[in-house]
Amino acid sequence: MPSVVGPIKINSVDGGVINFGDSFYLSPKSASKTAAGSGAFNTGDFINTNNGMNATNAIDPDVVDQIVSGNA
């Protein structure tokens, strides 16, 4: 099926895959978790963040969040 991709801006890619248009087969090769406060990962050209009190809960009782061992 055809797809329309609009304007894009890619600043950097570190070990990732970028797909444009239709994709037949996608599977994650790795999984990771990151905890950060509010406004920590904002991206863009002009950022203005006004955050009050912030408390990030990084406690994770799960052993495995996403199983990727079976992906080829």
Side-chain angles (χ1 to χ4, degrees):
M1 294 179 60
S3 63
V4 177
V5 178
I8 60 168
K9 177 182 179 183
I10 301 174
N11 291 328
S12 66
V13 176
D14 295 327
V17 176
I18 298 175
N19 292 311
F20 297 101
D22 299 334
S23 298
F24 175 70
Y25 178 74
L26 297 174
S27 66
K29 304 299 183 219
S30 65
S32 63
K33 181 177 284 187
T34 304
S38 62
F41 295 120
N42 288 339
T43 58
D45 292 329
F46 304 104
I47 303 284
N48 184 8
T49 340
N50 297 314
N51 295 325
M53 294 291 293
N54 179 26
T56 302
N57 184 6
I59 299 172
D60 184 18
D62 298 339
V63 176
V64 176
D65 292 324
Q66 182 177 0
I67 300 172
V68 294
S69 61
N71 295 338

